[in-house]
Structures are given as structure tokens and as C-alpha cells.
């Protein structure tokens, strides 16, 4: 199939036409969460970003295998060589098995993703379930001369690798840059070079999570899992690898080096990275102690929050910015997203009560007939969701005019408008009506209001206040309601 989709490739630093290696099959790997705490807003952005990519690729007709891993063992978020495994630490403090900690927070993550309407991936592998594959990867790298053993640990030899390949092609760094930055860490220790990274770490006696290996009882380095699991489920070459921009270095840079050292070639064609969510210009994350969990957003239970925000408000907030742009948290921005989402949902709901005319007015016809292509053009330009939302808002203006009888629309155009708005709002952007917004719920609330007004009319009649009784009936009639007094009581219906 011919693709019109253009995406920004972090590796080449330019937009490229999306041409899958084995169309219509597409392989996509995205780095998932490290499960030692409640999911926060920083977790929401990559999940929503790549859910959008997943949805749109499937909509275009591709058969997508989407792999998103769970990191549940022996790793730190930035450096697997220093410090303590956070899952094991939490397990010790709470006197639980590490897998209890991992499973609890994996469940919490899944609950949050369901609330955000993030589709489950095709495969969700866990690092602990793929220790053998990681050991095989490490052995290949050793056999090819790009790793060495030191006191039972295995380290990637960056200098040896850099002589044949180039370490730093994704982040744009040189080996000298990396060496200079690495000097901040105290002592070379077991490594030949401080910039070398762990492929396998020998476990200390107090380390809970450990596996036997040809080198020592230990655990894999942080970077190994994605390379090993990506290859297992997507093959030696696949289309898209995604994650947050903070993973470009060192994680994804190390992944490229590992794959090339093991197989002699890079595994990934397109690298995609979403930008950060920030608070006062600083990245939101557990390591910065400035994060707000998604549950806190949903309940409003956090000092920085003025109120609770729904899951769809969070999703709309994320999609209102381009995935490669920075998004800074503020209550004002979230409240603007809340109003924008309400505007869109109301317009889609209002479409059902619009009666078509024999023909469209020229302006309505122009907007409706151009809407679908405009939305496709925006999505095909590196998933430009702010432009899609802008086009949908233009359609909302049309809907409001139609409701107010300030414009006319024919049946075919009304059908096209409804289908296009629903396609892009629900199927592609992944929004959905929340409690209180569905048509059934609105109609139920609507009926209760009418019944309450009729109760007031009945009271007026009982008090022989005929003027008030007649006024209520006449006002309801003017609003389109037909009220009938029968021997069995009062009935009403809305004349459409």
C-alpha cells in the first residue's frame, strides 16, 4: 500500500515517509513503565502518544504488532550500574515479595491506562520473563568482542564498539562527550572505562532478585531487556521504536549499540520520541519528586490541583499539544482542555438532533466537504493532533449554527459531518464520552427536568392557579413540547 504518512525519525533528525519493512505488517516497540510506584502524568504522555500511533496505523489498514514492555526487576531508571533496585528496596521496606510489588503496580498501571482509553498492546512482555533471551544477547555481544567480564559482571566495551561502529548516533554525542560526562561518577571500579555500561551485574548477597548465569548469580543490565524482547517478538529488524525523549540517552543509545554489536546491524528503522510533561519547566517524574499521580488528578487530591480532572480531560490535554512539543502543567491549561473537550462532545451529541434540509448553504458545504481530508492531512504530517482538534472545533462551530437554525445542511452532508467527527474524535484520537455525557444519560436528566416542571404545573392546577398552569403549558409548547392532560394523568413528548 502507498503511504502518505510522514513521521519524524529521531535517528535521522528529519521527517520521513513511513514505509514499513514488511507492509502491511508493522512492528512497533515502546518502552513501558518501571513498576515500583503509582502511574503519574509523565506515564500518560508516552502511553497516549503511542496509542494514537497504534490506532492510526491500524486505521490506515496496517496489521500492527505493538509490543510494550513492563520493567519489573533489577533496574534503575537512569543507570543500572549504580544504586539499589527500587522494586527490591520497596519489597524489603514493605516486607513483601518483589513480584507482589511489581504485580500491584502493574495492575495500577493497567487501571490508569483503561481510564485513559489506551488500548492494550498486542504483547506486553515482562523483563523477568525473558532472562534467558537477555543472557543470550549478552553472550552474543561477548562472542563478537564488544563486552568483557569483570568480577562476575559483564560490561559493554564502548571503545571497542566505537572503533568499528559509532556510539552516539541517536543522541548526537561523541565518545569524548560521554567520557567527560561520566567523570562525575566516582571511580572507574570494575570497568575499563567509566562510560561502559552493564550488560549483566553480579548480585550482592543482600540483592533479592537474582538469576544464575555463566558469569555469576545476578541480573541483567537495564538496557538489555528492550533489545532482547524487541528481537524476540518483532524480529532482527522492525519498524518503530518509541518512548519518552528522556530515554534517547543512555537507554536507546545503548539499545542501538547492543543490537549492532550482537547482530552486526541496527534493529530499528524509525525512532520516535515524545517530549516531556513539565511542572514549572522541570520534567515531571519520580526521581524529581514533583510528580502528580493519575489517581490524584482523577480525585483532585493534591496541593497543586484546584479540582479533580477526568481521564478524558487528561487525554485531551495531552493531545492538544504535538507529541514532540513540551507540555507544561497548569490548572489553567487543564481547565481549558476540559472546556475544549466539553465543546467537542456537546457538538457530536447535538448532531443527532439536527434535521437535514433539502440543501446545504455554501459555507456549511465547504467546511463539511473539506473536513475529512484536512484531518487526514494533519495526521499524516507526523500525527499533528493540535491541527486535527482545530479542524474539529471548526466543525463544532458549524454544528452550533445548525442547532441555532443559522445554517442549513443536506442529509448527505449531515451524515458525512457526523461520521468524520466521530471517526477522528473517538476512533483515532481515542476520546470517549464520560459519565454524564452519553445520550442516554442526557435524555434521562432531560426527562427529569421536564417532569419537575410538570409537577409545578400540577401544583398550580391544584391551587386553582390557572394562569400559572396555562403559562407553563404554553411555554413548554413554544419550546417544542406537546403536553396532554388525560384521565390517566399528564403525558408529554418532544416534537422533533
Amino acid at each position: 500500500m502507498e503511504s502518505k504518512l510522514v513521521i519524524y525519525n529521531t535517528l535521522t533528525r528529519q521527517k520521513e515517509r513511513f514505509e514499513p519493512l514488511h507492509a502491511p505488517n508493522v512492528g512497533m516497540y515502546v518502552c513501558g513503565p518501571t513498576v515500583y510506584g503509582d502511574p503519574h502524568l509523565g506515564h500518560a504522555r508516552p502511553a497516549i502518544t503511542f496509542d494514537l500511533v497504534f490506532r492510526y496505523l491500524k486505521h490506515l489498514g496496517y496489521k500492527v504488532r505493538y509490543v510494550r514492555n513492563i520493567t519489573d526487576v533489577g533496574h534503575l531508571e537512569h543507570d543500572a550500574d549504580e544504586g539499589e533496585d527500587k522494586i527490591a528496596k520497596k519489597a524489603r521496606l514493605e516486607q513483601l515479595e518483589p513480584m507482589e510489588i511489581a504485580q500491584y503496580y502493574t495492575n495500577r498501571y493497567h487501571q490508569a491506562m483503561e481510564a485513559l482509553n489506551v488500548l492494550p498492546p498486542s504483547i506486553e512482555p515482562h523483563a523477568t520473563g525473558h532472562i534467558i533471551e537477555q543472557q543470550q544477547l549478552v553472550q552474543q555481544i561477548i562472542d563478537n568482542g564488544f563486552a568483557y567480564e569483570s568480577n562476575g559482571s559483564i560490561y559493554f566495551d564502548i571503545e571497542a564498539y566505537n572503533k568499528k561502529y559509532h556510539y552516539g548516533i541517536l543522541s548526537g554525542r561523541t565518545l569524548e562527550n560521554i567520557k567527560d560526562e561520566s567523570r562525575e561518577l566516582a571511580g572507574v571500579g570494575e570497568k575499563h572505562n567509566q562510560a561502559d555500561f552493564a550488560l549483566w551485574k553480579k548480585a550482592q548477597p543482600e540483592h533479592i532478585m537474582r538469576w544464575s548465569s555463566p558469569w555469576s548469580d545476578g541480573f541483567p543490565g537495564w538496557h538489555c531487556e528492550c533489545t532482547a524482547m524487541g528481537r524476540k517478538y518483532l524480529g532482527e529488524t522492525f519498524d518503530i521504536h518509541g518512548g519518552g525523549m528522556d530515554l534517547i540517552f543512555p537507554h536507546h543509545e545503548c539499545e542501538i549499540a547492543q543490537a549492532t554489536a550482537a547482530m552486526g546491524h541496527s534493529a530499528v528503522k524509525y525512532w520516535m520520541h515524545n517530549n516531556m510533561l513539565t511542572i514549572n519547566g522541570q520534567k515531571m517524574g519520580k526521581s524529581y519528586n514533583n510528580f502528580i499521580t493519575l489517581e490524584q488528578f482523577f480525585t483532585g487530591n493534591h496541593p497543586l490541583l484546584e479540582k479533580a480532572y477526568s481521564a478524558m480531560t487528561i487525554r485531551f490535554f495531552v493531545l492538544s499539544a504535538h507529541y514532540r512539543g513540551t507540555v507544561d502543567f497548569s490548572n489553567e491549561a487543564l481547565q481549558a482542555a476540559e472546556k475544549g473537550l466539553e465543546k467537542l462532545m456537546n457538538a457530536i451529541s447535538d448532531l443527532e438532533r439536527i434535521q437535514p434540509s433539502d440543501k446545504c448553504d455554501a459555507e456549511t458545504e465547504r467546511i463539511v466537504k473539506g473536513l475529512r481530508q484536512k484531518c487526514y492531512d494533519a495526521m499524516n504530517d507526523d500525527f499533528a493532533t493540535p491541527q486535527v482538534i482545530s479542524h474539529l472545533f471548526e466543525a463544532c462551530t458549524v454544528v452550533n449554527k445548525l442547532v441555532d437554525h443559522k445554517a442549513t445542511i443536506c442529509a448527505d452532508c449531515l451524515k458525512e459531518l457526523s461520521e468524520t467527527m466521530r471517526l477522528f474524535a473517538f476512533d483515532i484520537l481515542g476520546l470517549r464520552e464520560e459519565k454524564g455525557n452519553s445520550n442516554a444519560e442526557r435524555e434521562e436528566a432531560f426527562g427529569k427536568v421536564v417532569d419537575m416542571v410538570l409537577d409545578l404545573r400540577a401544583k398550580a392546577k391544584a391551587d386553582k392557579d390557572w394562569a400559572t398552569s396555562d403559562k407553563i403549558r404554553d411555554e413548554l409548547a413554544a419550546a417544542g413540547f406537546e403536553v396532554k392532560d388525560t384521565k390517566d394523568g399528564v403525558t408529554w413528548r418532544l416534537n422533533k
Side-chain angles (χ1 to χ4, degrees), residues 34-72:
T34 303
V35 286
Y36 64 88
D38 274 333
H40 55 76
L41 191 60
H43 288 122
R45 192 167 197 195
I48 292 169
T49 294
F50 293 102
D51 180 62
L52 174 81
V53 175
F54 185 33
R55 287 171 179 272
Y56 192 58
L57 290 177
K58 290 199 301 179
H59 171 73
L60 293 180
Y62 293 109
K63 183 179 179 181
V64 185
R65 177 175 288 177
Y66 175 19
V67 180
R68 186 186 66 207
N69 70 295
I70 294 289
T71 299
D72 58 354

Side-chain angles (χ1 to χ4, degrees), residues 303-307 309 329-337:
L304 291 176
L305 297 174
E306 294 178 1
K307 55 176 289 187
Y309 298 98
F329 158 81
S330 71
N331 282 281
E332 293 77 13
L334 282 168
Q335 287 164 24

Side-chain angles (χ1 to χ4, degrees), residues 194-209:
Q194 187 62 60
D196 295 345
F197 58 89
L199 298 172
W200 184 266
K201 285 290 288 182
K202 180 180 179 179
Q204 298 303 311
E206 68 275 9
H207 202 98
I208 303 172
M209 304 179 80

Side-chain angles (χ1 to χ4, degrees), residues 302-483:
H302 191 280
L304 291 176
L305 297 174
E306 294 178 1
K307 55 176 289 187
Y309 298 98
S310 72
M312 283 303 99
T313 296
I314 299 297
R315 186 175 180 107
F316 191 82
F317 170 66
V318 171
L319 293 172
S320 295
H322 191 272
Y323 77 91
R324 287 192 287 113
T326 303
V327 177
D328 197 50
F329 158 81
S330 71
N331 282 281
E332 293 77 13
L334 282 168
Q335 287 164 24
E338 188 174 57
K339 290 179 181 178
L341 175 64
E342 182 180 18
K343 174 182 177 179
L344 180 57
M345 293 298 104
N346 285 343
I348 291 174
S349 179
D350 286 343
L351 282 166
E352 296 187 11
R353 59 192 185 95
I354 293 173
Q355 293 299 307
S357 302
D358 293 336
K359 62 179 182 178
C360 297
D361 64 81
E363 181 67 5
T364 298
E365 184 174 20
R366 180 188 68 80
I367 293 174
V368 170
K369 289 190 173 180
L371 178 62
R372 187 180 295 253
Q373 190 58 52
K374 284 182 178 180
C375 290
Y376 274 126
D377 289 344
M379 286 298 297
N380 287 335
D381 185 13
D382 195 29
F383 309 98
T385 53
Q387 281 67 48
V388 175
I389 291 171
S390 175
H391 297 321
L392 292 176
F393 278 172
E394 185 179 20
C396 290
T397 301
V398 171
V399 173
N400 292 337
K401 288 182 178 179
L402 291 168
V403 169
D404 292 339
H405 304 290
K406 295 179 180 178
T408 57
I409 190 168
C410 66
D412 287 344
C413 282
L414 180 59
K415 182 173 182 289
E416 170 65 14
L417 179 60
S418 179
E419 289 179 352
T420 301
M421 292 186 73
R422 289 180 173 277
L423 167 66
F424 283 93
F426 298 146
D427 297 347
I428 294 175
L429 295 184
L431 302 168
R432 65 184 174 197
E433 291 182 316
E434 296 180 292
K435 184 173 176 59
N437 284 333
S438 71
N439 288 329
E441 289 168 323
R442 287 186 178 203
E443 287 177 8
E444 181 181 359
F446 188 64
K448 288 180 179 179
V449 171
V450 176
D451 288 340
M452 181 181 68
V453 172
L454 290 175
D455 285 343
L456 293 174
R457 178 173 178 264
K459 184 177 184 304
K461 289 180 68 176
D463 293 340
K464 302 187 184 305
D465 184 358
W466 309 117
T468 299
S469 172
D470 292 344
K471 179 176 174 56
I472 291 173
R473 182 198 60 205
D474 294 342
E475 291 289 343
L476 285 172
F481 293 92
E482 182 180 339
V483 178

Side-chain angles (χ1 to χ4, degrees), residues 230-247:
R231 180 169 66 173
K232 177 178 177 65
Y233 294 110
L234 298 175
E236 291 197 350
T237 55
F238 57 91
D239 298 294
I240 297 173
H241 195 319
M245 198 170 285
D246 58 329
L247 296 179

